[in-house]
Amino acid sequence: MTDKTLHFINGSYTAGDSGIVFENISPVDGSLISEVYEGKQAEINQAVAAAKAALDGPWGKMTQDERSAILHNVADGVTAR
């Protein structure tokens, strides 16, 4: 069974409405990593609405330096994996 990569929108994972997937192929050896659900207009609209709403919460009240530090920590976690 192939793993499927979902969208993460507004704190939840979703396949979206289209059900269309594309293959995520490893550039190293050409193997199939996963199938990724294709984002259509509905998913884009939901993601944009969630991002705009986040600006009304704690994220929007942080300074640029505070947000940058969080994103650097996320990048460090990705690199460590």
Side-chain angles (χ1 to χ4, degrees):
M1 173 131 206
T2 302
D3 288 332
K4 294 199 187 292
T5 303
L6 302 170
H7 304 287
F8 188 72
I9 301 172
N10 200 25
S12 299
Y13 290 97
T14 179
D17 295 332
S18 74
I20 298 170
V21 296
F22 61 90
E23 294 182 337
N24 180 16
I25 304 295
S26 171
V28 175
D29 61 10
S31 66
L32 178 64
I33 297 172
S34 68
E35 292 181 329
V36 180
Y37 281 95
E38 188 173 296
K40 296 291 188 183
Q41 193 67 45
E43 291 78 34
I44 294 167
N45 289 342
Q46 291 168 5
V48 169
K52 286 181 179 178
L55 291 177
D56 292 330
W59 184 259
K61 293 173 181 48
M62 289 181 195
T63 66
Q64 181 178 349
D65 287 340
E66 290 170 322
R67 290 192 302 264
S68 179
I70 290 171
L71 293 175
H72 280 286
N73 285 336
V74 170
D76 290 344
V78 170
T79 300
R81 284 184 63 191

